[in-house]
Every structure is written in structure tokens, then in C-alpha cells.
Amino acid sequence: MKIHGFNQVGELNPQLFREIKGRFNRRNLTLATGVSLLAQLCVYLSFLSREFSMNVISLSSKYCNLKETYEQYDKKYTQIQSQLYSSPTNDLSINREALEVKLSELSQLMNANCPPDAINSSLWWRDYWAEIFMMLSVFGFFALIIIGSYMLINDLATEKRRGTLNFIQLSPQTYKSIFVGKILGVPSLLYLAIALFIPYHIGSGISAGIPILEIFSFYAVVVASCAFFYSFSLLFGLMTLGQSGFQAWLGSGFIFTFLMLANNKPIYQDGSDWLNLFCPSFLLRYLIDGTSSSYLYFPFNQESIQVLKWFELPLGTSITLILLFSLLHFGILTFWIWQGLKRCFHNPDATLFSKQQSYWITGCLTVINLGFLIQDFELKTQSSIIYAVVFNFLLFFALIAALSPQRQTLQDWARYRQEKVNGKPHLMSDLMYGERSPSVVAIGLNLVIVIALFGLTTLWIGLPDERLQILAALLLNVSLIWLCASLVQLVLLMRTPKRGFWAVGMVGAIIISPLIILAFFGLQPRKEPLVFLLSSLSFAAVEYATIPLILTAIVGQSMVTVLLNLKLTQQLKKAGESTSKALLSGRSA
């Protein structure tokens, strides 16, 4: 079926017009509409049994207005039971048969159904519609994010396989126009299917007593989360182009696992609470609480969202405050992802982010993380330290992958440095900001930013007797990360094929192997602190280690890092030699 009426769309965004035109045919539209209507029918049928259960509400139910009568029966039942079983069996003054008959009568009265005219039908229907609203909400945003992410990653892989991706990159469209067209066009049939759910969803929300503005505030969070996850999916798809073809399943599977964890994780009032804001379900609690409903069967686990804080700012006390913070949070993260999309689109061989951008990214993410982390910033609980260490590892492993150039880029840079006669005074500036220079110095500056922010936080809110230990744990963590960054850059300069896999394997061995060894031999940080100080579990041993022992571990890791960088410098000098000089000296360039 030929699509008409999209001429204006084609003028505004040719990529969007291309995506919609290729998908909006009679078969696809019928399939999307049918699946949506069938899913709504399944939801209705799954709750149909609840409607019939309204006629068999027990006397003890919260929906029965005879609750006081039930409590009177229960009180009498307890009294008779106590009288019957606490008295001696040979006490002739008690008519046991009469008491047992009375207990049986009371039991029947207590288990009787509530009379139809005593049922609080308004409360029952409100909870009924609240349950439907919750199920539709969670099902809707999970379907949007997971299926949409899969479609976007798979679409990029298909474009690459067909050879049309290069054609798109060479078109006069801007990267924003192309990626916005992809985000709006590739999942367009999914948008249609979800849009058909909206009347049912809004109707159930209004029937549950939820204000329409609060429903639309939930939609705003869902849209912001989709923008973030879809942008991440496009970036993941660009980074994994040419792989085995499983990148769509891998990317969407990772996002699904991440959302499930965020959806089901309680609020612990520590650094892990940041994870909850990635799942739109955190806002649903406010929508239900605003109706004074007693429905408790939530398809998520964020009942304590009201206690959420960020730098002592009580986000959880106000739906407006947490809504604005969430939108700002998604906006910042999406902005940085789009900086990576811009660089990957214009130059696929360039690093994901520039070194200048990495400093801002590290600062932003560290400040956000610290805001949640300071809720429980004590060494004795170790939870805050663990989350800080995990955050640092995840952040810097991502930065190492995003900033470390490949062998050919390093060779070109090294030769350029050799040919530039007056370039030596600017070497440090090039290492800090250059596009093709090694990433070791830039990673070091990012580590300095983390040390400064975490150090100030420790001095601000850390317990006086724990500040030195927390700072020691941070320095050991940073030292190990810089060692890994130096190793990765050295491995990427090797001539070995699949250098990326070698780099990942070596870093994994440095992080995981000591953990396996420690677990195998059953070593404990109290007895063998030095072994733990040299591993990724250094935070567990700082309270048992002396200052000389901590300094020994830091100096030891630093010496290994220096040796790796000396070897890297030697390899770069060798790579920077001209071809003629290399041939004359009998070496290969």
C-alpha cells in the first residue's frame, strides 16, 4: 500500500519518511493493530475472574463494611478458645460440649460471605482499576524499551549487512536528523500498538482515582527513559557493527536485565538507589498513594521511594521534585550519549568520546553517584564503599574502552610526533587533549577528578576515625584502575589480531583471578591484608592494614604502572620511526 500524506514529513526528516514508508503497509498495520487489541483482550480476561469474586467477599475483607461485626466475633472466639483450652480437663464447671458448639457457630459466622448490601463496591472497583493500571503501565514501558531497543540495534545491523549504512552516512542529512528519524521511525509500528493501549490505560487510571496530570507525568518519564535507552541502543549498535549478528539480542537482553533489576530493587538509602531512577516504575507509587488506595500488589519493589534523597535533598517527598530530577537525569545522560553518536557517525575510527568530553562525563556521573552515596557513607557497613568501588570500575572500564585508540591511530600519532620538530613542548597538552594520542594521561586526569570529588566528600561527611581508611581504599582502587588502563593501551598497540579481546581478557584476569584465588584458599582480610590490598577487594582490608602496608601496596601497583608506561613509550617511539629509517636499521616499522 502506497503511503500518502507524508510529503511534509519527508521534507522535515527524510530518514523518518524512509523508515515509515518501508514499514507502514497494510499487512504490518493490521498485524500491529491486531496484536495490540489481542493483548488488551488478554489483560481484560485475566482480570475477569476478579469481577466475579466481588460476590464472594469474606466478612473479614477490607471491602466489607461489617468489619466491626467480624472483630466482635473474633474477640468472642478468642475468649471461648482461651477458656476452653486453658482450663483443666477435669473442671466440671465448664460445659465443654456447649463451648465447642459455640466455637463452631462463631467460625461459620466469621467465614461467611459479606452481604451484598454491605460491600464497599466503590473501594473494590477503585483497587480493581488500580491493579489494571499498574499492570498496563509496567507492561507498556517494558515493551516500549525492550522491543524498541532490539528493533533499533537490529536495524543498524541490517543496514550494515545490506550496505545501505554507508549510503546513509554519505547523505547530506545531519547525524541528528538521521538518528531522530531512526528513533521515531524504526519502532513506529510499536508506537502504534502502544498508542492503542492508551485509552484503556487512561480510562483505568481515571477510574482508579488517579489525576490525569499525574498520568501524563508518568508518560513524560517513560518518554525520557525511551530516549535514553534508544540512544544507548543506537550507540551500542554502531560500536558492534560487523560482529556475529547477536548484538541485537545481546543489547536488548542487557537492557532487559538492567530494567528488571531496577524495577525489583528496594530503596536501601545508599549508592545503589541511583539504579531505581532508570526504571519509570518509581513514579507509579506516587500515583497510587495519591488515590488513598490500599492496593499492595505492585509489579515492582519501590515501596520506600518516599525516603529517597540526593545530597540531603528529599527527592522522594514530592512527586514534582522527583519527576523534575528524573527528567534532568535522563536528559544529562542522553546528551552525552548523543556526543558519542556524533563522533561515531562522522568518523567510525575515532574514539567514542574526546578527552575533553571525558573529563565532563566523569565529573557529572561522579557527582550524581555521590549524591546517592552519602546517604550511608560509613566504612563499617561497607555498602557505600562497595558501591563506590563498583561505580569506579564500571565508569573507568567504559572510559578506557571509549578513549583508547587502536594500533593504526597510535602509529599515525607517533609518526606525526616524530615529524613535528617543535612538538616536544606541547606533548603533555597533546596527551591531555589530543584526538589520536594514547589515553593513559587522560585516564589519569579522570582519576584525579574522582579522587578530588570523593576526597572532599569523605572529609565533609566521613566519620573522623574512618576518613583515612576510606581515602586509602579509594587510592588503592584508583591505582589498580590506572594499571589496567596502561595495560589496555599497551595491548592495543600490539600486532596481535583481535587485540580488543586480548585487552578485555587481561583486564578480566587482573580483576577476577585474585578473587578466585582468595576464595579457593579461604584467605581472610583480617589475617592476610596485603593480598587483599593488591586485589579489587582492597576496601575489605584497609581497616586491618597498617599505613606502611597500604603504602607498600600503592607503591607496588604504581611501579607496575610505570613499567607498563615505559614499555608503551618505547613501543610508540619504535612505531614513530620513518619507514626508511626502520629499513636501514633492519627493523620493521
Side-chain angles (χ1 to χ4, degrees), residues 235 239 336 339-340 343-344 348-363 394-407 409-410 413 430-449 481-482 484-486 488-490 492-493 568:
L235 188 61
M239 293 174 61
W336 287 118
Q339 300 308 304
R343 289 175 62 85
C344 288
D349 295 328
T351 56
L352 187 58
F353 297 106
S354 68
K355 293 181 173 65
Q356 296 96 318
Q357 290 173 340
S358 72
Y359 305 142
W360 287 101
I361 292 172
T362 299
L394 294 177
L395 172 62
F396 280 97
F397 288 163
L399 284 177
I400 291 170
L403 297 178
S404 301
Q406 296 292 328
R407 173 179 170 80
T409 303
L410 290 172
W413 176 82
D430 200 9
L431 291 172
M432 293 169 57
Y433 304 110
E435 289 289 331
R436 296 174 175 270
S437 60
S439 63
V440 178
V441 173
I443 295 296
L445 289 177
N446 281 288
L447 289 170
V448 170
I449 294 173
I481 291 173
W482 205 19
C484 293
S486 303
V488 168
Q489 192 63 90
L490 182 61
L492 291 179
L493 190 58
L568 176 62

Side-chain angles (χ1 to χ4, degrees), residues 130-400:
E131 189 171 354
I132 292 180
F133 179 82
M134 287 293 154
M135 295 303 296
L136 290 175
S137 300
V138 176
F139 172 80
F141 76 73
F142 260 91
L144 265 176
I145 295 175
I146 305 303
I147 300 177
S149 298
Y150 174 86
M151 295 172 72
L152 287 167
I153 300 173
N154 186 65
D155 178 78
L156 285 179
T158 303
E159 296 270 21
K160 178 67 175 179
R161 187 170 59 252
R162 293 177 178 175
T164 55
L165 185 60
N166 292 334
F167 172 77
I168 295 174
Q169 291 176 327
L170 294 174
S171 67
Q173 300 181 71
T174 64
Y175 80 99
K176 290 182 180 179
S177 175
I178 291 175
F179 288 131
V180 169
K182 286 286 185 184
I183 290 176
L184 296 179
V186 173
S188 53
L189 292 173
L190 176 63
Y191 297 153
L192 174 62
I194 296 296
L196 295 175
F197 262 95
I198 290 180
Y200 191 19
H201 185 253
I202 292 179
S204 61
I206 293 176
S207 300
I210 301 174
I212 187 69
L213 288 178
E214 293 188 3
I215 297 176
F216 280 105
S217 69
F218 172 71
Y219 290 164
V221 174
V222 172
V223 170
S225 64
C226 285
F228 166 74
F229 285 107
Y230 287 177
S231 301
F232 172 81
S233 299
L234 288 173
L235 188 61
F236 179 83
L238 287 176
M239 293 174 61
T240 57
L241 285 176
Q243 299 301 322
S244 59
F246 291 99
Q247 57 263 45
W249 290 105
L250 181 63
S252 58
F254 170 77
I255 293 174
F256 173 76
T257 304
F258 184 79
L259 275 180
M260 285 294 294
L261 181 61
N263 185 65
N264 294 286
K265 190 193 80 64
I267 300 295
Y268 292 124
Q269 291 186 276
D270 56 25
S272 67
D273 290 344
W274 186 13
L275 187 65
N276 293 78
L277 288 185
F278 285 92
C279 188
S281 61
F282 74 86
L283 201 68
L284 294 175
R285 180 76 196 196
Y286 297 92
L287 273 58
I288 288 298
D289 288 349
T291 66
S292 301
S293 176
S294 55
Y295 165 65
L296 297 176
Y297 301 101
F298 296 107
F300 51 85
N301 194 14
Q302 302 188 24
E303 290 86 352
S304 303
I305 189 68
Q306 291 89 347
V307 301
L308 184 66
K309 291 183 179 180
W310 185 76
F311 281 120
E312 299 303 321
L313 181 66
L315 296 178
T317 58
S318 169
I319 183 175
T320 303
L321 195 59
I322 197 171
L323 171 65
L324 294 176
F325 185 87
S326 173
L327 295 178
L328 180 62
H329 163 257
F330 278 123
I332 292 174
L333 298 182
T334 305
F335 169 79
W336 287 118
I337 290 177
W338 275 76
Q339 300 308 304
L341 286 173
K342 179 180 179 180
R343 289 175 62 85
C344 288
F345 179 78
H346 289 299
N347 186 4
D349 295 328
T351 56
L352 187 58
F353 297 106
S354 68
K355 293 181 173 65
Q356 296 96 318
Q357 290 173 340
S358 72
Y359 305 142
W360 287 101
I361 292 172
T362 299
C364 288
L365 297 183
T366 303
V367 169
I368 294 174
N369 179 56
L370 281 172
F372 297 103
L373 193 64
I374 63 172
Q375 296 178 90
D376 185 26
F377 203 73
E378 295 182 10
L379 185 65
K380 61 182 180 181
T381 60
Q382 285 198 352
S383 62
S384 59
I385 307 301
I386 292 174
Y387 292 127
V389 169
V390 171
F391 166 78
N392 287 340
F393 274 129
L394 294 177
L395 172 62
F396 280 97
F397 288 163
L399 284 177
I400 291 170

Side-chain angles (χ1 to χ4, degrees), residues 57 78 95 220 240 253 291 405 443 557:
I57 291 176
T78 304
N95 190 343
T240 57
T291 66
I443 295 296
Q557 291 179 347

Side-chain angles (χ1 to χ4, degrees), residues 456-506:
L456 291 174
T457 303
T458 301
L459 296 176
W460 175 32
I461 63 169
L463 297 179
D465 57 338
E466 293 184 353
R467 289 172 182 170
L468 185 59
Q469 295 176 354
I470 294 175
L471 290 175
L474 177 62
L475 288 174
L476 287 165
N477 179 233
V478 164
S479 176
L480 181 60
I481 291 173
W482 205 19
L483 187 153
C484 293
S486 303
L487 178 62
V488 168
Q489 192 63 90
L490 182 61
V491 172
L492 291 179
L493 190 58
M494 296 168 56
R495 298 183 181 183
T496 308
K498 296 184 177 180
R499 294 177 293 272
F501 291 101
W502 279 100
V504 172
M506 289 185 178

